[in-house]
Structure formats: C-alpha cells, structure tokens
Short mmCIF file of all heavy atoms in Angstrom, two decimals:
data_model
loop_
_atom_site.label_atom_id
_atom_site.label_comp_id
_atom_site.label_asym_id
_atom_site.label_seq_id
_atom_site.Cartn_x
_atom_site.Cartn_y
_atom_site.Cartn_z
N MET A 37 -32.37 -34.29 26.20
CA MET A 37 -33.59 -33.62 26.51
C MET A 37 -33.34 -32.52 27.60
O MET A 37 -33.89 -31.43 27.45
CB MET A 37 -34.63 -34.65 27.01
CG MET A 37 -35.98 -34.00 27.19
SD MET A 37 -36.65 -33.44 25.64
CE MET A 37 -38.34 -33.87 25.86
N ALA A 38 -32.53 -32.87 28.58
CA ALA A 38 -32.25 -31.88 29.68
C ALA A 38 -31.55 -30.69 29.08
O ALA A 38 -31.84 -29.57 29.55
CB ALA A 38 -31.39 -32.56 30.72
N ASN A 39 -30.69 -30.89 28.13
CA ASN A 39 -29.94 -29.76 27.52
C ASN A 39 -30.93 -28.89 26.75
O ASN A 39 -30.83 -27.59 26.85
CB ASN A 39 -28.92 -30.29 26.54
CG ASN A 39 -27.92 -29.24 26.16
OD1 ASN A 39 -27.70 -28.24 26.83
ND2 ASN A 39 -27.28 -29.43 24.98
N LEU A 40 -31.92 -29.44 26.08
CA LEU A 40 -32.89 -28.62 25.37
C LEU A 40 -33.75 -27.81 26.37
O LEU A 40 -34.04 -26.64 26.13
CB LEU A 40 -33.81 -29.53 24.57
CG LEU A 40 -34.96 -28.85 23.79
CD1 LEU A 40 -34.41 -27.83 22.82
CD2 LEU A 40 -35.82 -29.89 23.07
N VAL A 41 -34.11 -28.42 27.42
CA VAL A 41 -34.87 -27.71 28.49
C VAL A 41 -34.08 -26.52 29.06
O VAL A 41 -34.58 -25.43 29.19
CB VAL A 41 -35.33 -28.69 29.62
CG1 VAL A 41 -35.87 -27.93 30.84
CG2 VAL A 41 -36.29 -29.69 29.08
N ASN A 42 -32.80 -26.78 29.34
CA ASN A 42 -31.94 -25.70 29.85
C ASN A 42 -31.75 -24.57 28.87
O ASN A 42 -31.75 -23.43 29.21
CB ASN A 42 -30.55 -26.28 30.28
CG ASN A 42 -30.67 -27.06 31.58
OD1 ASN A 42 -31.54 -26.86 32.38
ND2 ASN A 42 -29.75 -28.00 31.74
N GLU A 43 -31.54 -24.97 27.58
CA GLU A 43 -31.41 -23.90 26.56
C GLU A 43 -32.67 -23.08 26.42
O GLU A 43 -32.64 -21.86 26.19
CB GLU A 43 -31.01 -24.58 25.21
CG GLU A 43 -29.66 -25.09 25.11
CD GLU A 43 -29.36 -25.78 23.79
OE1 GLU A 43 -30.08 -25.49 22.80
OE2 GLU A 43 -28.37 -26.57 23.75
N THR A 44 -33.81 -23.77 26.49
CA THR A 44 -35.07 -23.05 26.42
C THR A 44 -35.31 -22.07 27.62
O THR A 44 -35.72 -20.93 27.41
CB THR A 44 -36.23 -24.06 26.36
OG1 THR A 44 -36.07 -24.93 25.25
CG2 THR A 44 -37.59 -23.34 26.23
N LYS A 45 -34.97 -22.54 28.77
CA LYS A 45 -35.10 -21.67 29.97
C LYS A 45 -34.13 -20.46 29.86
O LYS A 45 -34.51 -19.36 30.17
CB LYS A 45 -34.76 -22.45 31.19
CG LYS A 45 -35.85 -23.44 31.64
CD LYS A 45 -35.40 -24.17 32.90
CE LYS A 45 -36.51 -25.20 33.29
NZ LYS A 45 -36.13 -25.87 34.50
N PHE A 46 -32.91 -20.73 29.38
CA PHE A 46 -31.93 -19.63 29.21
C PHE A 46 -32.39 -18.63 28.18
O PHE A 46 -32.33 -17.40 28.32
CB PHE A 46 -30.57 -20.22 28.79
CG PHE A 46 -29.43 -19.27 28.82
CD1 PHE A 46 -29.17 -18.51 29.93
CD2 PHE A 46 -28.64 -19.06 27.71
CE1 PHE A 46 -28.12 -17.54 29.91
CE2 PHE A 46 -27.61 -18.18 27.67
CZ PHE A 46 -27.35 -17.40 28.79
N ALA A 47 -32.97 -19.09 27.03
CA ALA A 47 -33.51 -18.22 26.02
C ALA A 47 -34.67 -17.33 26.62
O ALA A 47 -34.70 -16.15 26.32
CB ALA A 47 -33.99 -18.98 24.81
N GLY A 48 -35.47 -17.99 27.41
CA GLY A 48 -36.59 -17.21 28.06
C GLY A 48 -36.00 -16.15 28.98
O GLY A 48 -36.53 -15.05 29.05
N LEU A 49 -34.94 -16.46 29.74
CA LEU A 49 -34.37 -15.45 30.62
C LEU A 49 -33.77 -14.29 29.81
O LEU A 49 -33.90 -13.10 30.26
CB LEU A 49 -33.22 -16.09 31.48
CG LEU A 49 -33.70 -17.01 32.58
CD1 LEU A 49 -32.49 -17.72 33.22
CD2 LEU A 49 -34.49 -16.25 33.61
N LYS A 50 -33.17 -14.57 28.71
CA LYS A 50 -32.61 -13.45 27.85
C LYS A 50 -33.73 -12.62 27.33
O LYS A 50 -33.58 -11.36 27.34
CB LYS A 50 -31.87 -14.12 26.67
CG LYS A 50 -30.57 -14.82 27.01
CD LYS A 50 -29.97 -15.45 25.82
CE LYS A 50 -28.89 -16.37 26.13
NZ LYS A 50 -28.36 -17.02 24.86
N VAL A 51 -34.87 -13.18 26.88
CA VAL A 51 -35.94 -12.41 26.43
C VAL A 51 -36.54 -11.56 27.57
O VAL A 51 -36.83 -10.36 27.41
CB VAL A 51 -37.05 -13.35 25.82
CG1 VAL A 51 -38.32 -12.52 25.54
CG2 VAL A 51 -36.51 -13.93 24.51
N ASP A 52 -36.64 -12.14 28.75
CA ASP A 52 -37.16 -11.35 29.93
C ASP A 52 -36.22 -10.24 30.28
O ASP A 52 -36.66 -9.12 30.61
CB ASP A 52 -37.29 -12.30 31.13
CG ASP A 52 -38.44 -13.25 30.98
OD1 ASP A 52 -39.32 -13.08 30.04
OD2 ASP A 52 -38.50 -14.24 31.77
N ALA A 53 -34.89 -10.43 30.15
CA ALA A 53 -33.94 -9.35 30.46
C ALA A 53 -34.08 -8.27 29.42
O ALA A 53 -34.04 -7.07 29.77
CB ALA A 53 -32.51 -9.94 30.45
N GLU A 54 -34.24 -8.59 28.18
CA GLU A 54 -34.42 -7.57 27.11
C GLU A 54 -35.70 -6.81 27.36
O GLU A 54 -35.75 -5.54 27.22
CB GLU A 54 -34.48 -8.25 25.75
CG GLU A 54 -34.83 -7.26 24.61
CD GLU A 54 -33.67 -6.93 23.75
OE1 GLU A 54 -32.64 -7.56 23.78
OE2 GLU A 54 -33.85 -5.94 22.99
N ALA A 55 -36.78 -7.50 27.75
CA ALA A 55 -38.03 -6.80 28.05
C ALA A 55 -37.88 -5.85 29.23
O ALA A 55 -38.43 -4.70 29.19
CB ALA A 55 -39.16 -7.76 28.25
N ALA A 56 -37.17 -6.28 30.24
CA ALA A 56 -36.93 -5.42 31.42
C ALA A 56 -36.16 -4.17 31.07
O ALA A 56 -36.48 -3.06 31.42
CB ALA A 56 -36.29 -6.23 32.49
N LEU A 57 -35.13 -4.38 30.25
CA LEU A 57 -34.30 -3.23 29.80
C LEU A 57 -35.15 -2.25 28.99
O LEU A 57 -35.11 -1.04 29.16
CB LEU A 57 -33.13 -3.68 29.00
CG LEU A 57 -32.26 -2.59 28.39
CD1 LEU A 57 -31.62 -1.75 29.46
CD2 LEU A 57 -31.20 -3.22 27.46
N THR A 58 -35.91 -2.82 28.07
CA THR A 58 -36.76 -1.96 27.21
C THR A 58 -37.78 -1.20 28.02
O THR A 58 -37.98 0.05 27.82
CB THR A 58 -37.49 -2.88 26.13
OG1 THR A 58 -36.48 -3.50 25.36
CG2 THR A 58 -38.38 -2.02 25.26
N GLY A 59 -38.41 -1.83 28.99
CA GLY A 59 -39.36 -1.17 29.87
C GLY A 59 -38.69 -0.06 30.65
O GLY A 59 -39.26 1.04 30.79
N ARG A 60 -37.52 -0.29 31.17
CA ARG A 60 -36.81 0.73 31.94
C ARG A 60 -36.44 1.88 31.03
O ARG A 60 -36.59 3.05 31.48
CB ARG A 60 -35.52 0.09 32.54
CG ARG A 60 -34.76 1.04 33.38
CD ARG A 60 -35.60 1.41 34.59
NE ARG A 60 -34.80 2.30 35.47
CZ ARG A 60 -35.29 3.23 36.23
NH1 ARG A 60 -36.60 3.43 36.28
NH2 ARG A 60 -34.56 3.96 36.96
N ILE A 61 -36.00 1.65 29.82
CA ILE A 61 -35.70 2.75 28.92
C ILE A 61 -36.94 3.56 28.65
O ILE A 61 -36.93 4.80 28.71
CB ILE A 61 -35.08 2.22 27.59
CG1 ILE A 61 -33.72 1.70 27.85
CG2 ILE A 61 -35.08 3.31 26.53
CD1 ILE A 61 -33.16 0.87 26.64
N MET A 62 -38.07 2.95 28.41
CA MET A 62 -39.32 3.63 28.17
C MET A 62 -39.72 4.49 29.37
O MET A 62 -40.16 5.61 29.24
CB MET A 62 -40.43 2.72 27.75
CG MET A 62 -40.19 2.08 26.42
SD MET A 62 -41.58 1.15 25.72
CE MET A 62 -41.78 -0.12 26.96
N GLU A 63 -39.59 3.86 30.60
CA GLU A 63 -39.97 4.60 31.81
C GLU A 63 -39.09 5.88 31.92
O GLU A 63 -39.57 6.99 32.30
CB GLU A 63 -39.75 3.71 33.05
CG GLU A 63 -40.80 2.62 33.17
CD GLU A 63 -40.42 1.64 34.22
OE1 GLU A 63 -39.39 1.73 34.79
OE2 GLU A 63 -41.33 0.72 34.43
N ARG A 64 -37.81 5.72 31.74
CA ARG A 64 -36.94 6.88 31.84
C ARG A 64 -37.16 7.93 30.81
O ARG A 64 -37.06 9.08 31.12
CB ARG A 64 -35.41 6.38 31.81
CG ARG A 64 -34.98 5.53 32.94
CD ARG A 64 -35.16 6.17 34.32
NE ARG A 64 -34.28 7.38 34.40
CZ ARG A 64 -34.57 8.51 35.03
NH1 ARG A 64 -35.72 8.61 35.67
NH2 ARG A 64 -33.73 9.48 35.10
N ALA A 65 -37.54 7.47 29.62
CA ALA A 65 -37.88 8.44 28.56
C ALA A 65 -39.08 9.27 28.90
O ALA A 65 -39.07 10.50 28.73
CB ALA A 65 -38.10 7.71 27.18
N VAL A 66 -40.01 8.63 29.54
CA VAL A 66 -41.24 9.35 29.97
C VAL A 66 -40.81 10.34 31.10
O VAL A 66 -41.25 11.50 31.13
CB VAL A 66 -42.37 8.39 30.46
CG1 VAL A 66 -43.46 9.11 31.21
CG2 VAL A 66 -42.89 7.64 29.27
N ASP A 67 -40.09 9.85 32.04
CA ASP A 67 -39.58 10.72 33.15
C ASP A 67 -38.86 11.92 32.62
O ASP A 67 -39.12 13.09 33.05
CB ASP A 67 -38.67 9.98 34.12
CG ASP A 67 -39.40 8.87 34.94
OD1 ASP A 67 -40.62 8.90 35.00
OD2 ASP A 67 -38.65 8.02 35.44
N LEU A 68 -37.98 11.72 31.67
CA LEU A 68 -37.18 12.79 31.15
C LEU A 68 -38.10 13.83 30.35
O LEU A 68 -37.88 15.01 30.36
CB LEU A 68 -36.08 12.30 30.21
CG LEU A 68 -34.92 11.67 30.94
CD1 LEU A 68 -33.94 10.99 29.99
CD2 LEU A 68 -34.20 12.73 31.81
N ASP A 69 -39.09 13.29 29.58
CA ASP A 69 -39.95 14.12 28.86
C ASP A 69 -40.76 15.05 29.79
O ASP A 69 -40.89 16.21 29.54
CB ASP A 69 -40.87 13.23 27.95
CG ASP A 69 -41.62 14.10 27.00
OD1 ASP A 69 -40.98 14.84 26.17
OD2 ASP A 69 -42.86 14.09 26.96
N ASN A 70 -41.26 14.47 30.83
CA ASN A 70 -42.01 15.26 31.83
C ASN A 70 -41.11 16.29 32.51
O ASN A 70 -41.51 17.43 32.70
CB ASN A 70 -42.65 14.34 32.86
CG ASN A 70 -43.75 13.55 32.35
OD1 ASN A 70 -44.44 13.96 31.39
ND2 ASN A 70 -44.00 12.37 32.94
N TYR A 71 -39.86 15.91 32.80
CA TYR A 71 -38.96 16.83 33.43
C TYR A 71 -38.59 17.96 32.45
O TYR A 71 -38.47 19.13 32.84
CB TYR A 71 -37.67 16.02 33.87
CG TYR A 71 -36.75 16.86 34.70
CD1 TYR A 71 -37.19 17.59 35.80
CD2 TYR A 71 -35.39 16.85 34.42
CE1 TYR A 71 -36.31 18.31 36.60
CE2 TYR A 71 -34.48 17.57 35.23
CZ TYR A 71 -34.94 18.27 36.27
OH TYR A 71 -34.07 19.00 37.03
N ARG A 72 -38.38 17.66 31.13
CA ARG A 72 -38.08 18.69 30.19
C ARG A 72 -39.19 19.69 30.11
O ARG A 72 -38.94 20.91 30.13
CB ARG A 72 -37.86 18.04 28.79
CG ARG A 72 -37.73 19.06 27.71
CD ARG A 72 -37.77 18.44 26.29
NE ARG A 72 -38.91 17.67 26.01
CZ ARG A 72 -40.13 18.12 25.74
NH1 ARG A 72 -40.38 19.43 25.70
NH2 ARG A 72 -41.15 17.30 25.48
N ARG A 73 -40.40 19.22 30.10
CA ARG A 73 -41.56 20.17 30.08
C ARG A 73 -41.58 21.01 31.26
O ARG A 73 -41.85 22.24 31.21
CB ARG A 73 -42.87 19.38 29.92
CG ARG A 73 -43.04 18.66 28.60
CD ARG A 73 -44.25 17.89 28.58
NE ARG A 73 -44.25 16.89 27.53
CZ ARG A 73 -45.31 16.20 27.13
NH1 ARG A 73 -46.48 16.43 27.72
NH2 ARG A 73 -45.20 15.33 26.20
N GLN A 74 -41.32 20.44 32.44
CA GLN A 74 -41.31 21.19 33.67
C GLN A 74 -40.23 22.28 33.67
O GLN A 74 -40.49 23.41 34.00
CB GLN A 74 -41.10 20.23 34.84
CG GLN A 74 -40.98 20.91 36.19
CD GLN A 74 -40.57 19.94 37.28
OE1 GLN A 74 -40.50 18.75 37.10
NE2 GLN A 74 -40.33 20.47 38.50
N LEU A 75 -39.00 21.91 33.24
CA LEU A 75 -37.92 22.81 33.16
C LEU A 75 -38.15 23.93 32.20
O LEU A 75 -37.80 25.13 32.46
CB LEU A 75 -36.60 22.12 32.85
CG LEU A 75 -35.99 21.21 33.95
CD1 LEU A 75 -34.78 20.51 33.38
CD2 LEU A 75 -35.66 22.02 35.20
N ALA A 76 -38.71 23.60 31.02
CA ALA A 76 -38.97 24.63 30.00
C ALA A 76 -40.02 25.58 30.41
O ALA A 76 -40.01 26.76 29.98
CB ALA A 76 -39.30 23.93 28.69
N ASN A 77 -41.02 25.11 31.16
CA ASN A 77 -42.06 26.01 31.68
C ASN A 77 -42.66 26.84 30.61
O ASN A 77 -42.94 28.02 30.77
CB ASN A 77 -41.52 26.83 32.84
CG ASN A 77 -42.61 27.45 33.68
OD1 ASN A 77 -43.72 26.86 33.76
ND2 ASN A 77 -42.38 28.55 34.24
N GLY A 78 -42.94 26.23 29.46
CA GLY A 78 -43.64 26.93 28.33
C GLY A 78 -42.72 27.81 27.47
O GLY A 78 -43.16 28.37 26.49
N ASP A 79 -41.44 27.89 27.81
CA ASP A 79 -40.51 28.68 26.99
C ASP A 79 -40.12 27.88 25.76
O ASP A 79 -39.45 26.85 25.86
CB ASP A 79 -39.27 29.02 27.85
CG ASP A 79 -38.27 29.87 27.08
OD1 ASP A 79 -38.09 29.73 25.85
OD2 ASP A 79 -37.56 30.67 27.74
N PRO A 80 -40.47 28.32 24.53
CA PRO A 80 -40.28 27.55 23.38
C PRO A 80 -38.74 27.40 23.03
O PRO A 80 -38.35 26.33 22.53
CB PRO A 80 -41.00 28.28 22.26
CG PRO A 80 -41.23 29.62 22.78
CD PRO A 80 -41.25 29.56 24.29
N ILE A 81 -37.94 28.37 23.32
CA ILE A 81 -36.52 28.29 23.09
C ILE A 81 -35.83 27.23 23.98
O ILE A 81 -35.15 26.36 23.53
CB ILE A 81 -35.82 29.64 23.25
CG1 ILE A 81 -36.46 30.71 22.33
CG2 ILE A 81 -34.37 29.54 22.99
CD1 ILE A 81 -36.17 30.56 20.90
N LEU A 82 -36.19 27.37 25.25
CA LEU A 82 -35.60 26.42 26.19
C LEU A 82 -36.14 25.03 25.90
O LEU A 82 -35.36 24.07 26.05
CB LEU A 82 -35.98 26.83 27.63
CG LEU A 82 -35.38 26.06 28.75
CD1 LEU A 82 -33.88 25.92 28.62
CD2 LEU A 82 -35.79 26.68 30.14
N ASP A 83 -37.42 24.92 25.55
CA ASP A 83 -37.96 23.63 25.23
C ASP A 83 -37.23 22.97 24.07
O ASP A 83 -36.93 21.81 24.06
CB ASP A 83 -39.44 23.73 24.90
CG ASP A 83 -40.08 22.40 24.67
OD1 ASP A 83 -40.05 21.57 25.71
OD2 ASP A 83 -40.62 22.14 23.67
N ALA A 84 -36.86 23.76 23.02
CA ALA A 84 -36.16 23.28 21.89
C ALA A 84 -34.78 22.78 22.29
O ALA A 84 -34.29 21.70 21.84
CB ALA A 84 -36.05 24.35 20.83
N VAL A 85 -34.07 23.58 23.14
CA VAL A 85 -32.71 23.14 23.61
C VAL A 85 -32.79 21.85 24.38
O VAL A 85 -32.04 20.91 24.14
CB VAL A 85 -32.09 24.29 24.42
CG1 VAL A 85 -30.80 23.81 25.09
CG2 VAL A 85 -31.81 25.49 23.56
N LEU A 86 -33.74 21.80 25.34
CA LEU A 86 -33.83 20.62 26.18
C LEU A 86 -34.32 19.38 25.36
O LEU A 86 -33.94 18.26 25.67
CB LEU A 86 -34.78 20.89 27.30
CG LEU A 86 -34.27 21.97 28.31
CD1 LEU A 86 -35.39 22.19 29.36
CD2 LEU A 86 -32.95 21.61 28.95
N SER A 87 -35.07 19.62 24.37
CA SER A 87 -35.55 18.53 23.48
C SER A 87 -34.41 17.87 22.79
O SER A 87 -34.41 16.62 22.60
CB SER A 87 -36.60 19.04 22.48
OG SER A 87 -37.82 19.36 23.08
N ARG A 88 -33.46 18.67 22.37
CA ARG A 88 -32.30 18.09 21.67
C ARG A 88 -31.51 17.18 22.64
O ARG A 88 -31.05 16.10 22.23
CB ARG A 88 -31.39 19.20 21.17
CG ARG A 88 -31.99 19.99 20.00
CD ARG A 88 -31.12 20.99 19.49
NE ARG A 88 -29.93 20.40 18.88
CZ ARG A 88 -28.90 21.08 18.44
NH1 ARG A 88 -28.85 22.38 18.51
NH2 ARG A 88 -27.88 20.46 17.91
N ILE A 89 -31.42 17.60 23.90
CA ILE A 89 -30.68 16.77 24.90
C ILE A 89 -31.50 15.49 25.12
O ILE A 89 -30.89 14.41 25.19
CB ILE A 89 -30.52 17.59 26.18
CG1 ILE A 89 -29.61 18.77 25.92
CG2 ILE A 89 -29.98 16.69 27.32
CD1 ILE A 89 -29.53 19.77 27.02
N GLU A 90 -32.82 15.61 25.18
CA GLU A 90 -33.68 14.50 25.42
C GLU A 90 -33.57 13.48 24.28
O GLU A 90 -33.46 12.24 24.49
CB GLU A 90 -35.11 14.89 25.61
CG GLU A 90 -36.08 13.79 25.92
CD GLU A 90 -37.47 14.25 26.05
OE1 GLU A 90 -37.76 15.46 26.15
OE2 GLU A 90 -38.39 13.45 26.07
N VAL A 91 -33.53 13.96 23.06
CA VAL A 91 -33.40 13.12 21.86
C VAL A 91 -32.07 12.38 21.89
O VAL A 91 -31.98 11.18 21.52
CB VAL A 91 -33.60 13.92 20.55
CG1 VAL A 91 -33.22 13.11 19.35
CG2 VAL A 91 -35.05 14.33 20.43
N GLY A 92 -31.02 13.06 22.41
CA GLY A 92 -29.72 12.38 22.56
C GLY A 92 -29.80 11.17 23.46
O GLY A 92 -29.19 10.16 23.18
N PHE A 93 -30.58 11.33 24.59
CA PHE A 93 -30.76 10.19 25.47
C PHE A 93 -31.43 9.06 24.75
O PHE A 93 -31.07 7.92 24.87
CB PHE A 93 -31.54 10.56 26.73
CG PHE A 93 -32.08 9.39 27.43
CD1 PHE A 93 -31.24 8.63 28.28
CD2 PHE A 93 -33.40 8.92 27.32
CE1 PHE A 93 -31.76 7.54 28.95
CE2 PHE A 93 -33.90 7.88 27.93
CZ PHE A 93 -33.11 7.11 28.78
N VAL A 94 -32.53 9.39 24.05
CA VAL A 94 -33.28 8.35 23.34
C VAL A 94 -32.42 7.61 22.33
O VAL A 94 -32.43 6.34 22.25
CB VAL A 94 -34.51 8.91 22.67
CG1 VAL A 94 -35.25 7.92 21.81
CG2 VAL A 94 -35.47 9.42 23.73
N ASP A 95 -31.60 8.33 21.55
CA ASP A 95 -30.69 7.76 20.60
C ASP A 95 -29.72 6.79 21.28
O ASP A 95 -29.51 5.67 20.85
CB ASP A 95 -29.96 8.79 19.82
CG ASP A 95 -30.80 9.57 18.86
OD1 ASP A 95 -31.95 9.09 18.53
OD2 ASP A 95 -30.41 10.68 18.40
N LYS A 96 -29.14 7.25 22.37
CA LYS A 96 -28.12 6.45 23.07
C LYS A 96 -28.81 5.24 23.66
O LYS A 96 -28.30 4.10 23.63
CB LYS A 96 -27.46 7.27 24.15
CG LYS A 96 -26.35 6.51 24.84
CD LYS A 96 -25.49 7.39 25.70
CE LYS A 96 -24.26 6.63 26.21
NZ LYS A 96 -23.39 7.48 26.95
N ALA A 97 -29.97 5.41 24.29
CA ALA A 97 -30.71 4.27 24.89
C ALA A 97 -31.06 3.22 23.82
O ALA A 97 -31.03 2.02 24.09
CB ALA A 97 -32.00 4.78 25.59
N GLN A 98 -31.43 3.70 22.64
CA GLN A 98 -31.72 2.74 21.57
C GLN A 98 -30.48 1.94 21.15
O GLN A 98 -30.59 0.73 20.89
CB GLN A 98 -32.29 3.46 20.34
CG GLN A 98 -33.72 3.91 20.48
CD GLN A 98 -34.18 4.61 19.25
OE1 GLN A 98 -33.51 5.46 18.72
NE2 GLN A 98 -35.43 4.34 18.87
N ARG A 99 -29.28 2.57 21.14
CA ARG A 99 -28.09 1.85 20.86
C ARG A 99 -27.81 0.87 21.93
O ARG A 99 -27.39 -0.28 21.64
CB ARG A 99 -26.94 2.83 20.72
CG ARG A 99 -26.95 3.61 19.40
CD ARG A 99 -25.64 4.27 19.13
NE ARG A 99 -25.22 5.28 20.19
CZ ARG A 99 -25.63 6.50 20.28
NH1 ARG A 99 -26.47 7.00 19.39
NH2 ARG A 99 -25.20 7.29 21.26
N VAL A 100 -27.95 1.20 23.17
CA VAL A 100 -27.76 0.24 24.30
C VAL A 100 -28.73 -0.95 24.14
O VAL A 100 -28.33 -2.11 24.23
CB VAL A 100 -28.02 0.92 25.67
CG1 VAL A 100 -28.09 -0.05 26.78
CG2 VAL A 100 -26.91 1.98 25.90
N GLN A 101 -30.02 -0.65 23.82
CA GLN A 101 -30.93 -1.71 23.66
C GLN A 101 -30.57 -2.61 22.50
O GLN A 101 -30.64 -3.90 22.65
CB GLN A 101 -32.32 -1.13 23.40
CG GLN A 101 -33.43 -2.18 23.25
CD GLN A 101 -34.69 -1.60 22.69
OE1 GLN A 101 -34.68 -0.61 22.00
NE2 GLN A 101 -35.80 -2.27 22.97
N ARG A 102 -30.19 -2.04 21.40
CA ARG A 102 -29.86 -2.85 20.20
C ARG A 102 -28.62 -3.79 20.47
O ARG A 102 -28.50 -4.85 19.94
CB ARG A 102 -29.63 -1.93 19.01
CG ARG A 102 -30.86 -1.41 18.45
CD ARG A 102 -30.64 -0.58 17.18
NE ARG A 102 -31.85 0.05 16.81
CZ ARG A 102 -31.98 1.38 16.61
NH1 ARG A 102 -30.92 2.16 16.72
NH2 ARG A 102 -33.12 1.90 16.27
N ASN A 103 -27.68 -3.24 21.23
CA ASN A 103 -26.42 -3.95 21.53
C ASN A 103 -26.53 -4.88 22.76
O ASN A 103 -25.57 -5.60 23.04
CB ASN A 103 -25.27 -3.01 21.66
CG ASN A 103 -24.96 -2.30 20.40
OD1 ASN A 103 -25.06 -2.89 19.28
ND2 ASN A 103 -24.59 -1.00 20.52
N PHE A 104 -27.63 -4.82 23.43
CA PHE A 104 -27.79 -5.60 24.68
C PHE A 104 -27.74 -7.10 24.35
O PHE A 104 -28.46 -7.60 23.49
CB PHE A 104 -29.12 -5.32 25.33
CG PHE A 104 -29.37 -6.04 26.60
CD1 PHE A 104 -28.68 -5.75 27.74
CD2 PHE A 104 -30.23 -7.10 26.63
CE1 PHE A 104 -28.83 -6.41 28.92
CE2 PHE A 104 -30.43 -7.84 27.81
CZ PHE A 104 -29.72 -7.47 28.97
N GLY A 105 -26.75 -7.75 24.95
CA GLY A 105 -26.64 -9.23 24.74
C GLY A 105 -26.05 -9.60 23.41
O GLY A 105 -25.94 -10.76 23.08
N SER A 106 -25.59 -8.59 22.63
CA SER A 106 -24.95 -8.88 21.33
C SER A 106 -25.75 -10.01 20.58
O SER A 106 -25.18 -11.03 20.27
CB SER A 106 -23.49 -9.27 21.51
OG SER A 106 -22.80 -8.20 22.09
N GLU A 107 -26.98 -9.69 20.29
CA GLU A 107 -27.84 -10.67 19.51
C GLU A 107 -27.99 -12.00 20.27
O GLU A 107 -28.17 -12.99 19.66
CB GLU A 107 -27.25 -10.95 18.12
CG GLU A 107 -27.17 -9.67 17.28
CD GLU A 107 -28.47 -9.10 16.89
OE1 GLU A 107 -29.43 -9.88 16.65
OE2 GLU A 107 -28.62 -7.88 16.86
N PHE A 108 -27.95 -11.95 21.62
CA PHE A 108 -28.11 -13.11 22.42
C PHE A 108 -27.24 -14.31 22.08
O PHE A 108 -27.71 -15.38 21.74
CB PHE A 108 -29.62 -13.58 22.43
CG PHE A 108 -30.58 -12.61 23.04
CD1 PHE A 108 -31.82 -12.52 22.48
CD2 PHE A 108 -30.21 -11.86 24.13
CE1 PHE A 108 -32.74 -11.68 23.09
CE2 PHE A 108 -31.10 -11.01 24.67
CZ PHE A 108 -32.37 -10.89 24.20
N PRO A 109 -25.94 -14.10 22.13
CA PRO A 109 -25.08 -15.27 21.83
C PRO A 109 -25.16 -16.29 22.94
O PRO A 109 -25.50 -15.98 24.07
CB PRO A 109 -23.66 -14.68 21.73
CG PRO A 109 -23.74 -13.50 22.71
CD PRO A 109 -25.12 -12.95 22.52
N SER A 110 -24.91 -17.54 22.58
CA SER A 110 -24.99 -18.56 23.66
C SER A 110 -23.64 -18.83 24.26
O SER A 110 -22.60 -18.32 23.93
CB SER A 110 -25.49 -19.87 23.07
OG SER A 110 -25.31 -20.09 21.75
#
C-alpha cells in the first residue's frame, strides 16, 4: 500500500512539473509576441521576419514540451 501511495504522489509531481513547464512556455510565447509587435512597430516586412523567428521558438518549445520526461518513465 505504501508503494502505491508513493507512486501516486510521484505521478502527481510529474504532472505538476509538466503543467509548470507548459505554463512557462505559454508565458514566454506571449512575452515574445508582444516584443515582436513592439519591435516591428507596424512595419509589415519586419513583422513578417520577426514572426518567422517567433514561430521557430514556438516549434522548439513544443518539442521540449513533448520530450519532457520522456513520456514520464518510472
């Protein structure tokens, strides 16, 4: 029974860690999006260039999120 309780607590910690990482990625994506808009200052060409860089971050962050914990091995 104690082993089951420990495994359950550990699984909960893993889920909490994943949620924290996901939240951080979302916060950074919002920060970067706001910063891109500020830097572009309404210039559509610059906005397009900076958007490509921003999308690169989002793609990489999604890969980090998907690989986080390698499917939560025990």
Side-chain angles (χ1 to χ4, degrees):
M37 186 65 143
N39 193 26
L40 178 60
V41 169
N42 287 336
E43 286 179 21
T44 302
K45 287 180 181 180
F46 189 54
L49 288 173
K50 291 177 192 178
V51 169
D52 290 346
E54 173 106 14
L57 175 63
T58 300
R60 183 65 178 150
I61 290 169
M62 291 189 301
E63 290 169 355
R64 294 302 296 147
V66 168
D67 292 343
L68 287 172
D69 191 56
N70 290 333
Y71 189 49
R72 174 190 53 79
R73 291 178 199 193
Q74 176 187 353
L75 289 175
N77 197 29
D79 181 327
I81 304 288
L82 186 53
D83 187 60
V85 170
L86 296 176
S87 290
R88 291 181 65 186
I89 295 168
E90 183 180 348
V91 167
F93 164 78
V94 171
D95 290 342
K96 186 169 186 174
Q98 284 179 319
R99 285 193 302 275
V100 168
Q101 180 193 26
R102 286 184 187 126
N103 293 325
F104 181 73
S106 299
E107 300 293 323
F108 294 146
S110 25

